[in-house]
């Protein structure tokens, strides 16, 4: 008998094995990929040439000569020598056959407002006019950056595609982010033009959005970047919906400017495959956000191919992804992938539960949606508020996607049986902002589904799980490790904008053994997630390993939260930790230590909340702020986030003997857990995966 405790990862062996679900036969018959031979076509023996199949879904002005150039690892180049235009591929090329088909159907949040269908011809017209405006009024050239801070309106894809048409790099900042967060990203990307909107509807309110533009311009200016022009789309063209005044000479209403560009045409600029198409900022280990730079040819090929095979998009489908276009999911799988395939993509302005939990199903019924795509957090919310609502509506999905967080098997089953009515296949797609498109998923007509596991690597993606010493963790061992992708793929981001060293350091240095090697096999990509691999080859994603907290599918960096908190004058130190949340997956709690001589007060707590909302946005609002006498620290002064995360979650704090101040742990525990019990934030038993996540939390900082 050994007295050694099993490690958390060994406990994982005992997770319940879920049963398989077969894809419905109605789905298989019509699927874009139903012959398993496709898996062989994309096997390692055929890498990298297998990706020709994706590239050939596009129209190229000049065909490429080299599929993958590995001369400068890990800065891979795909389809070298090729030239194309992303806007042409998403719009112009569909005109010949599908001119009068809806490219976009926009559903405003108020049910009293008419749904707007925008045909490919109309989209072509709008994109040409706005592209002319960007070029001639703003003086933008190929390679310039433009920041958008736009909500879920058709003007967002119009703006994206217009930039793509003239070779300008767009950088959309999620509309829910604060003005300050937007300003940081403007400054980082060096944008001189900001495109925004005066107002939009959210949860029954007409939100003033223009106010954030002023804050953004000011924040960027403090960081040394001056915005020359702010282009303001109006929610209701011709009338202003924001009380925030326009700044003369800087702010312009787009609908007024467009009059001068009526019926103008702009030739799509033929771009090298390697030209950057857009930046998408995301959070990581440090406070500075990372601008993930995506390419034109590789990215577009990858999202088109994966949308075709994994989402099974046919031109005649009506496809609805409920994510926000302000996140990578929306870029890849609302705009670029679906439009490149010439389908109809639905955009909904508001929140899924407005005015009630039947809204998504009414929209699906009214528009005849065939493919539906959302995140576990929305599924949990809709299940909680309207468990029987889907039955009341006559829609019929053939396919459903889930993305962004691990989905609990129980939630998966509700999605399958109730939302999908047992007729729709589900793909649980695991990937990241950095990746362009899906990394792991079942191939819907070929693989059976298993609730809670995303599936094997997708076509042409060869994942591996390594332990800390680069040993491969074998399938079926039940042990968790760091999931990596062994090979490059066309959708991978090209670099972190302006920070190439950080790109190499964060994603490749951990498992690269020879920095001089030109062989891609020596450069596994570190995804930053913990995972296990089942004996069946299906991956199960456990969560982030890099101090990112995934709140309702949004990545929040602990360092970003902490730096916002310490802008409050009385705060000396701050530590952000995740707490398990029934609906949002994880919520954030902030621990605060005050400067000497300052006493704790409700007011300071409120200031911390305000600072976070102001610096990042309402999505980052902490569930609780705990002002504590001191932080538990190691002898070298590092805050033990693992310990406070365990306290917040009522879990065992583990070994604290190596702390410099172990006595503080009990004080904090009593303080926090008593208050939580009083508030009814009762603990529930944590799963082995959740315990594992807490244990690993804060280790990288
Ligand atoms: C998590 C969203 C489990 C993961 C496309 C990843 C998931 C982070 C899944 C990326 C999934 C995404 N199952 N976890 N199907 N999909 N994640 O950059 O931790 O916003 O690293 O990209 O979300 O979030 P991001």
């Amino acid at each position: 008998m050994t007295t050694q405790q099993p490690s958390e990862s060994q406990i994982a062996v005992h997770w319940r094995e879920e049963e398989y679900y077969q894809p419905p036969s109605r789905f298989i018959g019509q699927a874009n990929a139903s012959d398993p031979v496709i898996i062989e076509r994309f096997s390692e023996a055929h890498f990298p040439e297998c990706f020709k199949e994706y590239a050939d879904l596009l129209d190229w002005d000049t065909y490429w000569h080299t599929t993958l150039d590995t001369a400068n690892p890990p800065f891979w180049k795909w389809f070298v020598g090729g030239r194309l235009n992303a806007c042409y591929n998403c719009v112009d090329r569909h005109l010949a056959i599908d001119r009068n088909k809806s490219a976009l159907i926009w559903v405003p949040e108020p049910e009293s407002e008419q749904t707007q269908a925008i045909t490919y011809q109309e989209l072509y017209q709008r994109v040409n006019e706005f592209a002319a405006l960007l070029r001639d009024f703003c003086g933008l050239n190929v390679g310039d950056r433009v920041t958008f801070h736009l909500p879920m309106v058709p003007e967002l894809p119009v703006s994206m595609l217009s930039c793509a048409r003239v070779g300008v790099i767009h950088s959309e900042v999620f509309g829910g982010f604060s003005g300050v967060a937007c300003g940081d990203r403007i400054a980082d990307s060096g944008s001189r033009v900001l495109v925004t909107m005066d107002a939009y509807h959210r949860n029954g309110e007409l939100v003033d959005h223009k106010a954030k533009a002023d804050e953004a311009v000011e924040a960027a200016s403090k960081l040394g970047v001056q915005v020359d022009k702010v282009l303001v789309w109006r929610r209701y063209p011709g009338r202003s919906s924001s009380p925030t005044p326009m700044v003369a000479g800087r702010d312009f209403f787009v609908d007024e400017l467009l009059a001068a560009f009526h019926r103008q045409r702009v030739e799509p600029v033929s771009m090298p495959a390697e030209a950057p198409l857009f930046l998408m900022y995301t959070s990581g280990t440090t406070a500075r956000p990372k601008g993930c730079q995506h390419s034109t040819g590789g990215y577009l090929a990858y999202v088109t191919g994966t949308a075709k095979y994994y989402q099974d998009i046919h031109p005649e489908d009506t496809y609805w992804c409920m994510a926000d276009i302000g996140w990578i999911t929306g870029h890849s799988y609302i705009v670029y992938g679906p439009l490149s395939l010439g389908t109809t993509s639905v955009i909904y302005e508001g929140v899924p539960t407005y005015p009630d939990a039947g809204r998504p199903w009414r929209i699906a019924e009214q528009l005849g949606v065939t493919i539906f795509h959302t995140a576990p957090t929305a599924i949990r919310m809709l299940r909680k508020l309207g468990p029987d609502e889907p039955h009341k509506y006559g829609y019929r999905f053939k396919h459903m996607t889930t993305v962004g967080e691990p989905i609990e098997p129980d939630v998966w089953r509700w999605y399958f049986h109730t939302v999908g009515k047992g007729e729709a296949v589900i793909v649980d797609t695991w990937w990241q902002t950095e990746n362009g498109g899906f990394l792991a998923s079942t191939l819907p007509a070929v693989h059976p589904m298993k609730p809670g596991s995303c599936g094997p690597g997708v076509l042409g993606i060869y994942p591996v799980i390594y332990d800390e010493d680069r040993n491969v963790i074998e399938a079926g061992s039940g042990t968790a490790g760091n999931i990596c992708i062994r090979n490059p793929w066309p959708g991978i981001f090209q670099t972190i904008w302006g920070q190439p060293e950080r790109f190499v350091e964060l994603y490749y240095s951990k498992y690269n053994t020879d920095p001089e090697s030109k062989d891609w096999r020596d450069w596994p990509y570190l995804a930053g997630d913990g995972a296990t691999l089942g004996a069946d080859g299906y991956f199960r994603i456990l969560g982030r390993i890099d101090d990112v907290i995934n709140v309702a599918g949004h990545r929040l960096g602990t360092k970003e939260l902490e730096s916002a908190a310490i802008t409050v004058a009385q705060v000396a130190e701050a530590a952000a930790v995740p707490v398990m949340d029934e609906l949002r997956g994880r919520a954030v709690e902030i621990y605060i230590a005050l400067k000497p001589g300052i006493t704790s007060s409700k007011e300071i707590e409120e200031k911390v909340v305000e600072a976070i909302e102001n610096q990042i946005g309402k999505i980052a609002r902490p569930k609780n702020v705990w002002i504590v006498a001191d932080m538990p620290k190691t002898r070298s002064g590092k805050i033990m986030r693992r310990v406070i995360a365990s306290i917040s979650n009522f879990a065992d704090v583990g070994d604290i003997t190596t702390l410099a101040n172990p006595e503080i742990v009990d004080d904090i525990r009593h303080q926090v857990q008593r208050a939580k019990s009083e508030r009814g934030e009762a603990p529930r038993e944590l799963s082995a995966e959740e315990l594992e996540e807490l244990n690993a939390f804060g280790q990288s900082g």
Side-chain angles (χ1 to χ4, degrees):
M1 267 277 301
T2 163
T3 51
Q4 220 184 339
Q5 290 290 313
S7 75
E8 298 303 344
S9 44
Q10 285 166 319
I11 294 174
V13 182
H14 306 297
W15 291 349
R16 188 161 86 86
E17 234 354 81
E18 292 292 331
E19 71 281 33
Y20 293 102
Y21 286 68
Q22 295 303 324
S25 45
R26 181 173 84 103
F27 177 81
I28 299 173
Q30 58 79 63
N32 283 328
S34 58
D35 187 342
V37 92
I38 194 171
I39 294 169
E40 166 55 25
R41 284 209 302 278
F42 278 86
S43 66
E44 207 166 331
H46 302 293
F47 179 85
E49 299 308 324
C50 54
F51 282 114
K52 177 180 188 307
E53 183 162 339
Y54 283 1
D56 286 347
L57 297 172
L58 305 181
D59 282 17
W60 294 81
D61 305 327
T62 311
Y63 207 71
W64 71 91
H65 49 70
T66 305
T67 308
L68 171 63
D69 172 354
T70 63
N72 183 25
F75 300 89
W76 317 118
K77 292 187 174 159
W78 283 90
F79 311 125
V80 184
R83 296 186 83 96
L84 77 168
N85 183 279
C87 177
Y88 177 87
N89 273 278
C90 291
V91 184
D92 305 44
R93 68 165 169 160
H94 305 309
L95 296 178
I97 302 174
D98 283 327
R99 190 177 293 276
N100 289 315
K101 178 164 107 184
S102 300
L104 302 170
I105 299 181
W106 181 56
V107 183
E109 190 186 73
E111 283 192 285
S112 55
E113 285 186 24
Q114 285 292 315
T115 291
Q116 287 180 21
I118 299 168
T119 63
Y120 274 97
Q121 176 66 29
E122 285 164 340
L123 183 59
Y124 171 78
Q125 177 106 5
R126 288 203 200 184
V127 161
N128 272 279
E129 291 173 359
F130 193 62
L133 188 160
L134 291 174
R135 190 187 59 186
D136 302 339
F137 178 73
C138 300
L140 291 165
N141 288 312
V142 168
D144 288 343
R145 280 81 55 210
V146 170
T147 298
F148 305 158
H149 198 199
L150 287 167
M152 285 290 281
V153 289
E155 287 76 7
L156 175 48
V158 166
S159 303
M160 291 163 68
L161 294 163
S162 304
C163 282
R165 196 166 189 86
V166 292
V168 166
I169 303 168
H170 60 75
S171 171
E172 154 74 359
V173 176
F174 170 56
F177 270 141
S178 69
V180 174
C182 178
D184 283 352
R185 288 153 179 80
I186 290 175
D188 192 85
S189 63
S191 301
R192 300 202 163 268
V193 175
L194 170 65
V195 182
T196 187
M197 184 164 248
D198 61 346
Y200 62 98
H201 290 277
R202 189 167 173 82
N203 218 6
E205 245 183 84
L206 186 60
V207 181
D208 175 12
H209 193 58
K210 165 66 172 61
K212 286 187 178 175
D214 295 0
E215 291 163 16
V217 171
E218 195 194 317
S221 154
K222 282 192 191 142
L223 295 167
V225 172
Q226 305 306 326
V227 172
D228 309 328
K229 288 191 170 62
V230 178
L231 304 182
V232 184
W233 291 96
R234 283 194 279 193
R235 176 62 175 75
Y236 299 94
R239 92 175 129 98
S240 198
S241 307
S242 160
T244 307
M246 300 288 276
V247 175
R250 188 198 74 183
D251 300 354
F252 302 91
F253 289 128
V254 178
D255 55 307
E256 290 179 357
L257 296 177
L258 277 176
F261 297 92
H262 186 54
R263 300 191 58 241
Q264 291 223 359
R265 293 287 176 270
V266 174
E267 271 306 299
V269 178
S270 191
M271 301 296 289
E274 275 304 298
L277 179 62
F278 66 86
L279 306 180
M280 169 65 59
Y281 281 87
T282 191
S283 300
T285 326
T286 66
R288 183 171 171 194
K290 303 180 280 192
C292 297
Q293 176 185 317
H294 285 282
S295 73
T296 305
Y299 170 82
L300 195 63
Y302 196 69
V303 298
T304 306
T306 48
K308 177 167 179 170
Y309 292 143
Y310 284 90
Q311 304 215 272
D312 199 52
I313 293 178
H314 296 57
E316 56 276 17
D317 279 310
T318 299
Y319 167 86
W320 181 20
C321 171
M322 221 162 53
D324 197 290
I325 299 175
W327 304 112
I328 192 69
T329 297
H331 275 49
S332 300
Y333 298 113
I334 296 178
V335 181
Y336 286 114
L339 295 184
S340 169
L341 290 170
T343 198
T344 299
S345 185
V346 175
I347 299 176
Y348 171 51
E349 177 179 32
V351 299
T353 50
Y354 183 84
D356 57 69
R359 186 69 190 278
W361 323 128
R362 282 201 289 288
I363 294 172
E365 179 187 79
Q366 184 199 342
L367 303 181
V369 171
T370 49
I371 306 178
F372 182 68
H373 183 167
T374 192
T377 190
I379 305 171
R380 289 185 213 113
M381 196 79 79
L382 290 163
R383 177 170 80 152
K384 181 166 182 196
L385 298 178
D388 302 318
E389 284 298 305
H391 295 307
K392 300 182 190 159
Y393 299 94
Y395 66 84
R396 232 180 143 187
F397 295 150
K398 69 166 186 182
H399 182 294
M400 302 190 299
T401 303
T402 164
V403 64
E405 303 156 77
I407 182 165
E408 298 80 357
D410 199 36
V411 176
W412 191 101
R413 280 187 283 270
W414 184 76
Y415 198 32
F416 182 81
H417 293 292
T418 305
V419 177
K421 304 175 178 177
E423 293 184 323
V425 75
I426 293 181
V427 291
D428 176 353
T429 57
W430 168 71
W431 60 295
Q432 317 168 299
T433 305
E434 293 87 339
N435 309 152
F438 306 145
L439 290 183
S441 165
T442 48
L443 187 58
V446 174
H447 296 126
M449 303 163 258
K450 188 164 82 170
S453 298
C454 52
V458 300
L459 297 169
I461 298 287
Y462 321 122
V464 63
I465 302 179
Y466 287 131
D467 70 10
E468 288 300 314
D469 305 319
R470 209 181 193 266
N471 301 309
V472 173
I473 291 180
E474 298 301 334
S477 66
T479 306
N482 299 325
I483 186 164
C484 295
I485 308 300
R486 289 193 290 109
N487 61 303
W489 66 98
I492 181 75
F493 67 141
Q494 300 176 293
T495 186
I496 301 176
W497 180 261
Q499 306 180 70
E501 308 79 27
R502 204 168 158 214
F503 169 75
V504 180
E505 166 65 26
L506 286 176
Y507 299 96
Y508 294 97
S509 66
K510 188 171 174 86
Y511 291 116
N512 168 258
T513 46
D514 174 10
E516 299 305 316
S517 169
K518 304 282 181 218
D519 186 344
W520 59 260
R521 289 167 195 80
D522 292 324
W523 295 89
Y525 164 83
L526 175 73
D529 279 320
T532 60
L533 176 58
D536 54 7
Y538 283 24
F539 290 93
R540 183 163 184 158
I541 305 299
L542 305 175
R544 304 287 312 179
I545 55 170
D546 61 351
D547 298 351
V548 166
I549 305 178
N550 189 336
V551 178
H554 306 321
R555 274 164 71 170
L556 301 174
T558 50
K559 291 288 187 304
E560 276 168 89
L561 292 156
E562 292 162 5
S563 6
I566 59 172
T567 60
V568 175
Q570 294 90 339
V571 173
E573 284 183 308
V577 297
V579 51
M580 305 303 155
D581 185 274
E582 195 200 332
L583 291 177
R584 291 176 293 174
R586 302 287 174 272
V588 172
E589 293 201 349
I590 306 270
Y591 284 69
I592 298 291
L594 299 176
K595 289 182 180 160
I598 298 190
T599 41
S600 146
S601 70
K602 190 87 205 145
E603 196 200 331
I604 300 177
E605 281 177 29
E606 279 159 12
K607 278 192 177 163
V608 168
V609 172
E610 215 175 278
I612 289 171
E613 288 193 355
N614 198 12
Q615 306 275 316
I616 306 174
K618 282 206 166 51
I619 46 161
R621 190 188 167 89
K623 186 165 179 172
N624 287 305
V625 177
W626 305 112
I627 300 182
V628 294
D630 197 3
M631 299 281 188
K633 287 188 185 152
T634 61
R635 297 210 176 98
S636 59
K638 182 171 167 302
I639 300 177
M640 290 296 283
R641 288 178 179 73
R642 170 181 71 77
V643 172
I644 47 183
S646 303
I647 293 175
S648 271
N649 289 283
F650 291 78
D652 182 3
V653 294
D655 181 11
I656 53 168
T657 52
T658 56
L659 294 192
N661 54 351
E663 68 290 346
I664 197 78
V665 174
D666 258 351
D667 295 349
I668 301 178
R669 188 169 50 210
H670 287 136
Q671 174 192 347
V672 168
Q673 296 187 347
R674 188 179 335 108
K676 286 192 148 205
S677 304
E678 281 166 16
R679 288 175 203 181
E681 293 172 17
R684 65 169 167 82
E685 212 175 311
L686 300 187
S687 69
E689 300 109 301
E690 289 168 340
L691 285 170
E692 175 130 25
E693 179 188 323
L694 291 179
N695 231 357
F697 191 74
Q699 305 293 21
S700 68

